[in-house]
Amino acid sequence: MSISREEVQRVAELARLEIAADAVDRVAAQLSGILDFVATLDALDLGDCEPTAFAPAAAPLRADVPDESRRLGPERATAAAPAAEEGYFLVPPIVENVNP
Amino acid sequence: MAYEAVIGLECHIQLKTRTKMFCGCEVEFGRPANWNTCPVCLGLPGALPRTNITAIAYALRLGLALGCDIRHESVFARKNYFYPDMPKNYQVTQYDLPLCEHGTLPVVVEGESRTFELMRIHCEEDAGKSFHPERVGDRRISRLEFNRAGTPLLELVTEPVLRTPAECAAFLTQLRKLVRALGISDGDMEKGQLRCDANVSLRPVGQSALGVKTEIKNLNSIKGVEKGVTAEIDRQRRELESGARIVQATLLYDADHDKLAIMRTKESAHDYRYFPEPDLPVLRVTDADLDAARAALPELPWVREARFVSQYGLPPYDAAVLGDSRELADYYEACARGGDAKLASNWIMTEVLRVRNDRGWPLEKWAEQVPAPRMRAFLDKVAAKELPGPVAKQVFAWMADEAGSVDELLALHGIQVQGSAEDLRPLVLQVLDENPGPVAQYLAGKTITIGYLTGAVMKKSGGQAVPQVVQQLLAEELARRG
Amino acid sequence: MSRAPNETWKLGAAALAARVRDGRVSVTDAVESGWVGPASMWEHDVNAVAHHDAEVRREAAAGASGQGPLAGVPVLVKDNLCTVEYPTTCASRILAGYRAPYDATVIRRLREAGAVIVGKGNMDEFAMGSSNEYSAYGPTRNPFDLSRVPGGSSGGPAAAVAYGLVPVALGSDTGGSVRQPASFCGVYGLKPTYGRLSRYGLVAFGSSLDQVGIFARHARDVAVTYAVLAGEDGYDATTRLGPAPDVSTFAAGVKGLRFGWPANLWAQGVDAAIVAALERSAIALERAGAVRVVLDFLPGTYGVAAYYLVATAEASSNLARFDGVRYGFRHEEAADVRAMYTRTRSEGFGPEVQRRILLGTYALSSGYYDAYYLKAQRARTRIRREFQSAFAQCDFMLLPAAPSLAFKVGEKTDDPLAMYLSDVFTIGANLAGIPGLTVPAGRTSENLPVGVQMLGPEDSEPNLLRAARALEVGGDVALLSTDEDPEFVWPTKR
């Protein structure tokens, strides 16, 4: 299966990655090679195989009780931020201003 | 050509749990930025979620109240998209296997009972907050903070079964009433505790296929939903009538200017890449969990309102007003049970709610000042005609600010009401007979002379009569002579 | 037997902790010993350590209790485990300088057991690699041959244990990242059953595959460390409920245990030295009373295919949070937040990480989910069943940890697929959630380590450790329960 330049660009945009114009063909070729390889899965009969999940389904849920021990507060929350002020994170302007 | 609108609503209900959906940070408002944050809700590397049991219990409560099918094994999924107020750049939500499906919400629209089918209800986490860009020095920046990030939300999606803006408003009003009655959310749209997006399409009347739909966001009041949907129906109708096609799009409603702005068309639609959240086990709901949720269900608002009509003989309108919140309905019942239910309804709907609105008191503040037994004692006296109307109003006004029984308040203010209407009537008739001049003036339209007549009756009663009662009697008798 | 104080670093963790507890060795000497001798000799060339700080380390030693099963034991932990006192960067530019405000659960448990964290181990960026060449801090090299890789992605911790910096180190194993470097560096490497060790504070790569793993030079030390770390964690909803299996029986021998011998797996493409080591190991196990069960086991390369889809899909989502907003590196010249994201991520992630994010994004994207991610998750179920039927015939399996010995630096960096295929023997355990343990199995004539791997069903760590101990003493049951660890054959400078 080969992946087109356009698909590489679309996927890169979804992943917020930028691929240099002169690298797109190489990335497309690498991804195509990997996709050819994973196509071996197509030969398997998986009709009776449910998707795997490990986590214990009987795990108790968390009691609705505050956990002060992990609370960071404004100073520690923003301590590692590239830009912060008065407990807020600062970022370049958000143009598309509604969460989809 | 005549068109009809097809509307589906997507509502987000913020749950009033103590802590967030997947971590132990408190859900509180008004804290400094990033006060209630931890590695989990801040999306720090290595942090993992753990589901809040109360959020699930609340979801079950709503699902059962609406008659949904509850899935015994539902699955959390990641919805992947980049947005600055989402710490992980994915939202933990539910996708193809939600907790609740189907169900209906009964709503009265313009006097007519309707039920609206639901598609699903699922649990998810809220985002943080981003602020409009501002200028700092020579740069423009946006601020972000995450106190709200991770707050438990229920998303409720209707089938496309609504047809008019009025139906949308009635639906939301009823939903708000329900979540309040269930005690799972305060449902205040202005505070974002209840949010609504609407999907709107038009089709020619008689056509069954759906038209192209648009989604309106930012509808943050019930009025706003009504106006936003109205505006969008009008816009689509104009487009269609001018021969244009509707383009699938997301629109923002600006309530201040009653305007819609196109935010995004389908070309830039998202690809959310949902997949099961590997950090969380399957959400298992046992029969015992369902029994516990069922046991926690109060009488549902629409059931209670119907009972108010049948049990207390209230008009449906009164039942709906008194059923607006669980607290109000409880207060009403405590005042009405075994007494004059209609009288209680009248006093609460007019006087109590007026005090609440005039003074901005929440009901609990009123109920603290005038607990139901106190109100009930007052109503009993009114019902027994021991308090003539005007006196009753005066006593009610004192009750809002002063302590003491009805009798104590009367005594405190030096009013004896043993001389009730029938005792006073002879004095009134006497005064009218003795004062033909002022009576004639009154009847000729100079109604101010009633003050003089009142004074005369008061004098005759030795100050024991209630001026309002006297005035009312005078007015009655004068009317008879006029 | 007594040792010169300057040879304290040669001790195993359990032996060292015993000496610290009874006061023969101070915590400071226990912790510093590896830095004085071995590190001064090797670290410059090997580059096993990404972050350390002598002052922090000495303070931690001074403040340590000197009690507990790991009293005074210095531990190097992979740079993807959150620690408050050292940076946690996953060897990536995008987390340059990042300090976590919290300790991972396994770190907290190490401290409670008396251990002292001495620094962060070098690794492949975000644990994506099999050679430790994809690190922002430069490659780690194999102390047994500096022209060769130590394996990856936990190459730093493996190499540090091998050259003597620490007796125990923690790594993480998503597709073999503990077991493969353990085999390249001649040490023990355990990937526990999925959910036995908390992942809280382990920077996620493939959440349904990741497990924290343990490196040590002796079977006993793996058992002691496992006992300290394993168990339910309220901060990780995927940890298994109830107490972890008891591994204190590691010296109980293997009499009557059946080990699977899937010789079909190494019929081709496996280095002859490894095949020979497998045969030697089988004979040692038989000598100790275990029974060889010949069986065919063929999960084949479809496991690798399933693995690369699941791991990259989960990674594409897990790594979305690295966006320059709240921590780490940010590209400063962007006009709006979206551009900032794209530039930050494009400059902050290395090429292999970007390649895997793209692959995972593609596998989850609209129209491909069923064909890729979902199919891979179904293939996992099939692999689990294949393991189950194999384990119906035996208590554990003996197989290679990798098809080759440590390969040369630069040998595979140009061919991602070849690098992926070198994980063929290890990824099955991650896909199936079962434990795997690499055991040293001798050296080549050039003193290059050879390792073998054992895989067992869920919670079979006690049996794997019994087998490891039996192999450590060459199958000689008389030596099983001696307290003295056999001498480790150290690398020599060439």
Side-chain angles (χ1 to χ4, degrees):
Chain A
M1 147 127 214
S2 80
I3 173 168
S4 66
R5 285 177 63 96
E6 291 69 32
E7 272 183 305
V8 169
Q9 296 284 25
R10 180 184 66 86
V11 169
E13 197 182 316
L14 276 177
R16 298 291 185 270
L17 291 172
E18 189 171 42
I19 302 174
D22 60 355
V24 175
D25 285 330
R26 184 165 45 82
V27 173
Q30 277 174 344
L31 290 181
S32 298
I34 297 167
L35 290 171
D36 282 340
F37 168 68
V38 301
T40 51
L41 289 179
D42 294 340
L44 295 179
D45 177 10
L46 300 170
D48 63 338
C49 294
E50 285 300 307
T52 281
F54 294 125
L61 301 183
R62 182 178 57 80
D64 186 20
V65 176
D67 178 0
E68 186 64 19
S69 73
R70 285 201 290 182
R71 194 175 68 78
L72 294 171
E75 215 165 287
R76 287 207 295 157
T78 56
E85 187 185 278
E86 293 162 347
Y88 289 89
F89 295 96
L90 305 186
V91 294
I94 300 167
V95 179
E96 217 177 289
N97 209 7
V98 160
N99 186 321
Chain B
M1 192 186 296
Y3 292 97
E4 78 170 344
V6 178
I7 308 159
L9 298 180
E10 213 179 281
C11 306
H12 287 93
I13 301 153
Q14 204 176 64
L15 298 179
K16 50 176 190 180
T17 51
R18 280 191 77 189
T19 65
K20 294 184 179 181
M21 185 73 207
F22 296 116
C23 66
C25 286
E26 285 193 72
V27 175
E28 303 179 280
F29 301 94
R31 285 290 200 176
N34 288 309
W35 183 268
N36 284 316
T37 54
C38 77
V40 180
C41 57
L42 213 51
L44 297 192
L48 297 169
R50 198 149 169 250
T51 309
N52 182 336
I53 193 166
T54 302
I56 301 305
Y58 285 0
L60 292 178
R61 226 182 264 178
L62 183 63
L64 290 171
L66 294 169
C68 297
D69 300 326
I70 312 279
R71 205 179 283 277
H72 284 274
E73 290 194 345
S74 66
V75 171
F76 283 106
R78 292 190 187 175
K79 180 181 185 182
N80 293 285
Y81 62 100
F82 283 84
Y83 198 76
D85 62 15
M86 268 211 323
K88 304 180 293 294
N89 286 319
Y90 60 80
Q91 180 193 31
V92 181
T93 177
Q94 295 193 301
Y95 182 51
D96 53 347
L97 299 169
L99 184 60
C100 310
E101 282 179 296
H102 312 122
T104 55
L105 180 72
V107 179
V108 175
V109 188
E110 288 158 353
E112 192 189 334
S113 290
R114 303 279 306 278
T115 56
F116 293 110
E117 287 83 23
L118 311 178
M119 194 180 288
R120 57 188 280 151
I121 305 172
H122 70 246
C123 312
E124 61 185 29
E125 56 180 344
D126 206 346
K129 280 189 178 155
S130 55
F131 296 83
H132 285 292
E134 59 189 275
R135 187 163 288 282
V136 170
D138 57 346
R139 294 186 314 156
R140 284 175 74 233
I141 56 104
S142 290
R143 285 169 196 273
L144 288 169
E145 72 97 5
F146 297 94
N147 281 339
R148 194 181 67 176
T151 299
L153 293 180
L154 296 183
E155 180 176 310
L156 178 150
V157 185
T158 72
E159 295 285 355
V161 287
L162 297 109
R163 295 288 176 270
T164 65
E167 288 182 0
C168 297
F171 181 96
L172 281 167
T173 306
Q174 181 75 314
L175 180 63
R176 183 177 64 187
K177 192 185 275 190
L178 176 63
V179 298
R180 287 175 178 172
L182 297 176
I184 64 173
S185 173
D186 289 332
D188 190 334
M189 286 191 84
E190 278 72 19
K191 289 185 185 155
Q193 293 159 343
L194 178 63
R195 291 169 236 165
C196 180
D197 301 337
N199 288 302
V200 178
S201 66
L202 259 57
R203 65 183 171 194
V205 171
Q207 178 185 306
S208 61
L210 294 174
V212 175
K213 72 174 177 188
T214 57
E215 185 183 19
I216 321 172
K217 289 186 167 290
N218 228 15
L219 301 170
N220 45 23
S221 70
I222 288 178
K223 201 86 219 146
V225 172
E226 205 167 357
K227 290 172 75 178
V229 171
T230 302
E232 176 56 7
I233 291 173
D234 290 347
R235 187 190 71 87
Q236 288 193 21
R237 180 177 292 122
R238 282 197 305 274
E239 295 275 321
L240 291 170
E241 283 171 351
S242 75
R245 286 170 161 273
I246 303 299
V247 180
Q248 191 166 344
T250 301
L251 303 124
L252 283 187
Y253 179 64
D254 175 354
D256 294 339
H257 305 93
D258 191 21
K259 267 169 48 184
L260 291 161
I262 291 195
M263 188 172 102
R264 191 166 56 229
T265 53
K266 203 195 173 199
E267 285 69 48
S268 56
H270 285 84
D271 180 346
Y272 293 120
R273 290 160 284 138
Y274 287 98
F275 72 105
E277 163 59 290
D279 289 330
L280 289 171
V282 163
L283 177 62
R284 184 170 285 181
V285 173
T286 64
D287 289 337
D289 295 331
L290 288 174
D291 289 344
R294 218 170 266 124
L297 283 184
E299 186 178 23
L300 298 178
W302 50 89
V303 175
R304 194 170 204 183
E305 285 166 33
R307 186 168 59 75
F308 281 6
V309 172
S310 62
Q311 181 178 343
Y312 301 122
L314 298 186
Y317 175 79
D318 290 25
V321 171
L322 293 170
D324 183 55
S325 78
R326 189 167 157 185
E327 292 73 19
L328 182 61
D330 286 347
Y331 187 79
Y332 167 70
E333 283 217 272
C335 296
R337 203 176 284 123
D340 185 335
K342 180 64 182 134
L343 183 75
S345 162
N346 290 344
W347 275 89
I348 292 173
M349 279 178 56
T350 53
E351 301 305 320
V352 173
L353 294 186
R354 191 173 48 73
V355 172
R356 193 180 68 173
N357 293 340
D358 289 353
R359 303 193 181 194
W361 282 12
L363 184 72
E364 62 245 41
K365 168 97 180 178
W366 168 261
E368 196 180 297
Q369 175 65 22
V370 185
R374 187 176 184 213
M375 183 71 187
R376 173 61 185 272
F378 165 77
L379 289 168
D380 284 348
K381 278 199 184 294
V382 177
K385 303 210 187 307
E386 288 172 34
L387 293 177
V391 184
K393 284 203 172 179
Q394 181 58 60
V395 171
F396 179 87
W398 290 329
M399 281 165 65
D401 297 305
E402 298 168 32
S405 68
V406 173
D407 290 342
E408 283 163 352
L409 285 170
L410 288 169
L412 185 70
H413 291 274
I415 291 177
Q416 289 177 332
V417 206
Q418 73 274 33
S420 70
E422 293 322 300
D423 300 326
L424 287 170
R425 201 174 297 270
L427 291 183
V428 168
L429 293 174
Q430 202 181 338
V431 165
L432 290 180
D433 291 343
E434 287 168 2
N435 294 282
V439 170
Q441 283 177 341
Y442 178 90
L443 293 174
K446 198 177 174 194
T447 53
I448 196 157
T449 55
I450 199 165
Y452 170 79
L453 296 168
T454 306
V457 177
M458 291 298 292
K459 205 168 181 179
K460 272 193 193 301
S461 75
Q464 299 302 308
V466 180
Q468 290 91 333
V469 178
V470 173
Q471 223 162 58
Q472 195 186 338
L473 286 170
L474 278 168
E476 278 172 35
E477 291 302 326
L478 283 165
R480 210 165 280 168
R481 291 177 188 212
Chain C
M1 191 172 96
S2 67
R3 286 172 198 273
N6 61 358
E7 296 208 330
T8 301
W9 60 270
K10 291 188 173 177
L11 291 168
L16 178 59
R19 283 164 174 76
V20 169
R21 280 193 300 269
D22 67 18
R24 275 180 286 164
V25 175
S26 72
V27 175
T28 298
D29 288 345
V31 167
E32 291 303 318
S33 172
W35 294 90
V36 176
S40 63
M41 179 155 138
W42 290 105
E43 185 52 29
H44 175 75
D45 295 328
V46 173
N47 193 26
V49 181
H51 315 286
H52 73 102
D53 181 326
E55 202 173 317
V56 167
R57 188 171 76 233
R58 290 190 191 109
E59 267 173 36
S65 69
Q67 293 303 316
L70 293 174
V73 173
V75 180
L76 183 77
V77 302
K78 193 175 180 177
D79 196 29
N80 59 355
L81 284 162
C82 291
T83 51
V84 293
E85 78 276 58
Y86 301 103
T88 300
T89 72
C90 299
S92 178
R93 186 181 177 201
I94 209 160
L95 274 175
Y98 173 66
R99 272 171 199 268
Y102 73 107
D103 278 336
T105 296
V106 289
I107 300 299
R108 200 167 43 73
R109 289 187 181 170
L110 281 178
R111 296 190 207 282
E112 285 164 6
V116 175
I117 314 298
V118 299
K120 307 300 278 285
N122 202 355
M123 58 185 285
D124 283 303
E125 183 181 2
F126 282 101
M128 295 176 180
S130 305
S131 66
N132 247 62
E133 292 167 288
Y134 302 129
S135 164
Y137 307 109
T140 301
R141 289 171 185 261
N142 192 317
F144 289 92
D145 180 345
L146 294 171
S147 71
R148 292 177 188 271
V149 303
S153 65
S154 315
V161 171
Y163 81 61
L165 177 69
V166 286
V168 167
L170 297 189
S172 66
D173 189 317
T174 306
S177 284
V178 164
R179 291 161 290 152
Q180 183 252 26
S183 79
F184 285 13
C185 293
V187 298
Y188 293 82
L190 173 68
K191 181 211 96 84
T193 302
Y194 185 80
R196 271 305 172 205
L197 266 57
S198 169
R199 293 185 294 116
Y200 184 69
L202 168 66
V203 182
F205 163 14
S207 311
S208 71
L209 303 155
D210 295 341
Q211 267 295 283
V212 173
I214 301 164
F215 293 103
R217 291 188 299 267
H218 302 289
R220 179 196 318 274
D221 294 348
V222 178
V224 169
T225 309
Y226 173 86
V228 162
L229 299 180
E232 204 177 325
D233 177 17
Y235 288 159
D236 177 359
T238 63
T239 48
R240 291 166 80 92
L241 306 178
D246 177 11
V247 292
S248 66
T249 56
F250 71 93
V254 291
K255 194 164 167 32
L257 289 182
R258 298 160 304 158
F259 66 95
W261 182 253
N264 66 301
L265 282 187
W266 54 88
Q268 54 186 12
V270 175
D271 192 293
I274 296 170
V275 176
L278 285 163
E279 188 55 44
R280 280 199 306 277
S281 302
I283 290 168
L285 287 171
E286 286 171 327
R287 185 176 166 222
V291 180
R292 185 185 327 211
V293 178
V294 178
L295 49 80
D296 269 346
F297 183 68
L298 267 179
T301 50
Y302 83 82
V304 182
Y307 173 80
Y308 274 91
L309 289 172
V310 173
T312 59
E314 292 180 358
S316 72
S317 175
N318 285 329
L319 271 57
R321 69 186 63 191
F322 302 101
D323 59 8
V325 172
R326 284 146 298 130
Y327 38 76
F329 166 77
R330 171 188 291 184
H331 177 95
E332 291 292 353
E333 309 292 320
D336 64 36
V337 77
R338 187 182 168 130
M340 187 274 279
Y341 281 176
T342 304
R343 299 213 182 130
T344 295
R345 291 166 60 79
S346 301
E347 288 171 30
F349 290 131
E352 178 61 20
V353 173
Q354 294 196 34
R355 184 152 50 229
R356 296 202 198 190
I357 290 174
L358 290 173
L359 179 61
T361 304
Y362 183 79
L364 288 174
S365 66
S366 175
Y368 298 104
Y369 175 82
D370 287 1
Y372 292 117
Y373 184 77
L374 190 66
K375 190 171 285 173
Q377 285 289 49
R378 290 185 189 282
R380 285 179 83 167
T381 298
R382 181 166 159 153
I383 287 169
R384 294 179 87 182
R385 287 186 192 159
E386 293 196 36
F387 274 111
Q388 277 160 8
S389 61
F391 294 132
Q393 302 166 66
C394 61
D395 297 297
F396 60 90
M397 265 192 277
L398 190 60
L399 70 168
S404 72
L405 305 179
F407 48 85
K408 295 276 188 185
V409 173
E411 194 179 319
K412 297 192 182 181
T413 38
D414 291 339
D415 186 351
L417 195 53
M419 191 82 98
Y420 297 175
L421 283 166
S422 70
D423 297 339
V424 65
F425 296 118
T426 45
I427 52 167
N430 304 82
L431 289 166
I434 60 173
L437 175 57
T438 288
V439 176
R443 302 283 164 81
T444 64
S445 52
E446 281 93 40
N447 198 27
L448 201 59
V450 186
V452 297
Q453 183 186 205
M454 296 180 298
L455 297 177
E458 287 178 353
D459 279 341
S460 64
E461 283 88 341
N463 282 345
L464 297 184
L465 284 162
R466 283 164 67 183
R469 175 64 181 168
L471 289 171
E472 186 174 28
V473 297
D476 183 347
V477 293
L479 297 175
L480 279 174
S481 50
T482 54
D483 284 343
E484 202 64 39
D485 295 315
E487 190 72 32
F488 184 76
V489 182
W490 299 98
T492 49
K493 198 98 183 190
R494 283 189 279 193

